[in-house]
Amino acid sequence: MMFPNNFTWGVATSSYQIEGAVNEDGRGRSIWDDFCDTPGKIIDASSGAVACDHYHRWRDDIALIKSLNANAYRFSIAWPRVLPNGTGRVEQRGLDFYDKLVDGLLEAGIEPYATLYHWDLPSDLQHRGGWANRDIAEWFADYAALMARTLGDRVTQWMTINEPWCVSFLSHEIGEHAPGLRDAKLARQAAHHTLLAHGRAMQAVRACASQPAKVGIVLNYEPCLPFDANNPDDVEAARLADIQDPFHGWFTYPVFRGYYSPELMAQSGPAAPNIQPGDMAIISQRNDFLGLNNYTVGRFCLKDGKPVRVRNEAAEYTLMDWEVAPEGLHSLLMRLHAETRGQVPLYVTENGASFADQLISTDGDARVHDERRTAYLLGHIEATQRAIQKGADVRGYFAWSLMDNFEWAKGYQQWFGIVHVDYATQKRTLKDSALAFRTLASRAR
Ligand code: FCB
C-alpha cells in the first residue's frame, strides 16, 4: 500500500479503559467508578479499577508501542487525576504521571496525541449537573488550560472531547453509559454543552500552550448506506436516513457550519437545546483538524416511504454485532473532505474490531492468530488509502486499540486490542494483527 511519507501511524487508548490505579496518588472519583459500582450497569460486573494496570506499566507500554513501529500514540488524560474535584485543587502527582508519559513517548520517538476528555468525568462535577450544566464549558476550559500549561511545551496535538454523541445521547438519553440517564432534553442540552466546552477548550489550549498547538475534536460516525446499492429505493432510504443522522446533524454541522440540523431541531420539539447568543460562533471556530472514529455503518431500506434500518445478513459482523464495511469509512472520509472543503486535515482517530481471540502457546511462544481482526484493519486502511488517492487530506490512522481493555458497559467481554492482555498476569502478547500493523507502519520509521 502507498501512503504519504509523513503519514501518522498510531495506536489509541483511553485513561479509564487501561490505567487502573483508581485510588492512587490522590485521583478523585469519576462517573465511571460510580457507574461500575451500580449493579446491573456493566455486563460482567467489572470495572476499570485495575484494567491493564497501565498506570504502573506505562514504561513497558511505551516500549510496546515502539515495537509496533507506531510513530504516534493517542491517549487520554483522566480529569479526576489532575483535578480530583474537577475544579480547584490541582493534584501534582496526577500531572507528574502524564508529564513522565509524554517525556517517555518523545524519547521513544512517538508523537503524543492527547485527548482531554474520554468520558471519565470527575464525580463531583456530576453532582453539580455534569454535562447538563452550562458551567461545564468553563470548568472544562480551566482544565484544558491547566493541561496546556503543563504539557504544552511538548504536546502539540490536542483533542478536546472524544465522541460527544456518546457523552450526550448514549449517556443521557439511551442510558447505556455513565451517568446512565434517560432524558431527551438533558441529552440535547449536554450535546450543546460538549460543543461549547470544545470551543472554549480550543481557545484555552491555544492561549496557554508554549508551543504552537494543533487542536481539534473527535467525532464518531456510522454512515448511512443503502442495503442494496443497486436498488433505487434503498438508495433513497439511505439519503432520507442521512438527513436525520444525529452524528452529522448534532455535531458535524454545528462545528463546521455553525448550526444544528434544522430537521433534528424541529423533531426535538421542546427537547431542543437552549442556545445562547454567541454560542454557535464559539462552537464553529476554526479546528486544526478533525478526528473521526468509525467502526461500522447503518444499512437502510424504504418502508412506507420511510427509511428503516436493517441487518445485512450477507455481511460479516464483529463480536459487538457491528457490520464490517470498509466502504463506509471510505465514503465517510470523502464526505468529510467535501464538508470541510478540503481545508481541515482528517485523522482516523479510532478504527478496529472486537473478536474473541485464542492465545496459543507452544514451547513458551505465544501467538494469537486473529485473522478476522487483521483483515478488518487492512480493509479499512486500504479504504483510507483510496480516499487519499481521491484527494482527501487524511493525515493519520490510529488503530483501536493498542491492547485489550475495559470496554465500558461490555466490561472485559470484548477484545479490540491488537495486543492481547492476560488480565491475571498483565502479560502482553502481540496478536497477528499487531504484526501486520507493524509491517505497514515500518515505513513511518
Ligand atoms: C468508541 C470509544 C472507545 C471504544 C470503542 C470500541 O466509541 O471511543 O473508547 O470503546 O468505541
Side-chain angles (χ1 to χ4, degrees):
M1 285 197 238
M2 296 291 291
F3 277 90
N5 280 336
N6 54 358
F7 195 72
T8 296
W9 290 100
V11 286
T13 63
S14 87
S15 45
Y16 191 73
Q17 293 179 277
I18 66 163
E19 284 181 1
V22 293
N23 295 318
E24 268 175 70
D25 291 344
R27 175 186 177 277
R29 276 183 78 82
S30 82
I31 56 173
W32 273 93
D33 300 296
D34 301 335
F35 200 60
C36 292
D37 279 354
T38 313
K41 299 296 184 192
I42 313 297
I43 210 166
D44 57 359
S46 65
S47 78
V50 177
C52 306
D53 195 32
H54 169 77
Y55 192 72
H56 299 117
R57 294 168 195 267
W58 59 273
R59 283 189 190 81
D60 294 342
D61 289 337
I62 290 175
L64 189 63
I65 299 165
K66 187 172 178 165
S67 81
L68 297 173
N69 289 332
N71 58 5
Y73 174 51
R74 174 173 177 244
F75 64 98
S76 79
I77 295 160
W79 189 346
R81 264 198 207 289
V82 299
L83 289 161
N85 310 105
T87 58
R89 189 177 60 80
V90 173
E91 175 51 72
Q92 187 59 42
R93 290 171 292 179
L95 291 179
D96 290 346
F97 172 71
Y98 296 107
D99 219 50
K100 285 183 292 183
L101 180 70
V102 163
D103 283 343
L105 288 166
L106 292 172
E107 269 164 39
I110 300 162
E111 175 147 41
Y113 281 68
T115 303
L116 289 166
Y117 187 73
H118 200 130
W119 307 353
D120 36 5
L121 185 75
S123 299
D124 283 354
L125 295 186
Q126 187 59 45
H127 299 145
R128 294 159 76 182
W131 289 103
N133 183 340
R134 186 181 167 90
D135 291 345
I136 198 159
E138 298 315 309
W139 303 335
F140 189 64
D142 289 347
Y143 157 57
L146 169 69
M147 294 320 301
R149 281 195 301 271
T150 307
L151 303 177
D153 54 338
R154 288 153 291 155
V155 173
T156 58
Q157 306 283 351
W158 295 88
M159 303 177 178
T160 55
I161 297 181
N162 180 72
E163 301 191 354
W165 179 85
C166 292
V167 177
S168 49
F169 291 90
L170 189 63
S171 308
H172 291 76
E173 185 170 30
I174 302 172
E176 203 175 299
H177 278 187
L181 305 177
R182 290 195 173 81
D183 182 318
K185 171 83 184 179
L186 228 50
R188 283 155 183 75
Q189 202 56 54
H192 183 61
H193 294 155
T194 58
L195 295 182
L196 205 55
H198 156 68
R200 291 287 295 111
M202 282 208 299
Q203 294 170 331
V205 171
R206 285 177 181 144
C208 297
S210 62
Q211 292 286 324
K214 301 260 188 246
V215 205
I217 195 167
V218 174
L219 302 177
N220 57 309
Y221 295 98
E222 280 183 37
C224 304
L225 297 186
F227 172 69
D228 174 0
N230 296 316
N231 179 335
D233 274 1
D234 292 2
V235 173
E236 174 63 0
R239 190 187 70 81
L240 292 173
D242 189 77
I243 293 173
Q244 299 170 36
D245 180 287
F247 309 107
H248 288 296
W250 289 118
F251 300 98
T252 318
Y253 296 172
V255 171
F256 295 103
R257 301 181 182 181
Y259 56 82
Y260 291 107
S261 145
E263 284 81 6
L264 295 183
M265 284 294 273
Q267 263 176 28
S268 299
N274 303 329
I275 302 168
Q276 293 191 10
D279 286 1
M280 299 317 288
I282 295 174
I283 288 173
S284 62
Q285 67 194 282
R286 181 179 57 83
N287 280 252
D288 294 305
F289 61 83
L290 169 63
L292 53 105
N293 294 353
N294 173 249
Y295 291 89
T296 190
V297 297
R299 295 275 176 193
F300 292 89
C301 280
L302 208 57
K303 199 166 176 237
D304 305 326
K306 292 206 173 74
V308 276
R309 193 164 173 171
V310 292
R311 201 180 160 82
N312 184 4
E313 293 299 348
E316 181 187 16
Y317 279 76
T318 70
L319 196 61
M320 292 289 278
D321 206 25
W322 291 347
E323 181 186 336
V324 178
E327 70 269 30
L329 177 57
H330 180 261
S331 67
L332 175 64
L333 288 167
M334 298 316 296
R335 159 99 176 250
L336 292 171
H337 175 68
E339 174 76 41
T340 56
R341 292 180 298 282
Q343 282 164 18
V344 180
L346 305 174
Y347 286 87
V348 178
T349 35
E350 283 182 31
N351 174 248
S354 172
F355 291 109
D357 295 312
Q358 228 191 323
L359 186 77
I360 302 167
S361 290
T362 33
D363 308 329
D365 182 31
R367 304 290 299 266
V368 178
H369 299 304
D370 58 337
E371 285 149 26
R372 298 173 74 190
R373 184 179 296 99
T374 305
Y376 180 102
L377 293 171
L378 293 179
H380 285 77
I381 290 170
E382 199 263 335
T384 304
Q385 185 205 11
R386 276 192 291 119
I388 297 172
Q389 277 168 350
K390 284 203 212 158
D393 185 8
V394 189
R395 302 282 176 94
Y397 174 94
F398 290 80
W400 183 272
S401 179
L402 164 64
M403 56 188 160
D404 293 335
N405 57 48
F406 175 72
E407 180 47 37
W408 308 112
K410 305 273 195 306
Y412 296 97
Q413 304 302 310
Q414 296 286 339
W415 298 269
F416 278 94
I418 60 173
V419 174
H420 176 276
V421 176
D422 178 333
Y423 293 110
T425 62
Q426 291 296 346
K427 187 173 165 28
R428 278 86 160 124
T429 303
L430 268 54
K431 303 180 191 177
D432 286 356
S433 54
L435 304 179
F437 180 92
R438 175 162 80 182
T439 304
L440 268 176
S442 62
R443 69 193 68 224
R445 294 217 157 242

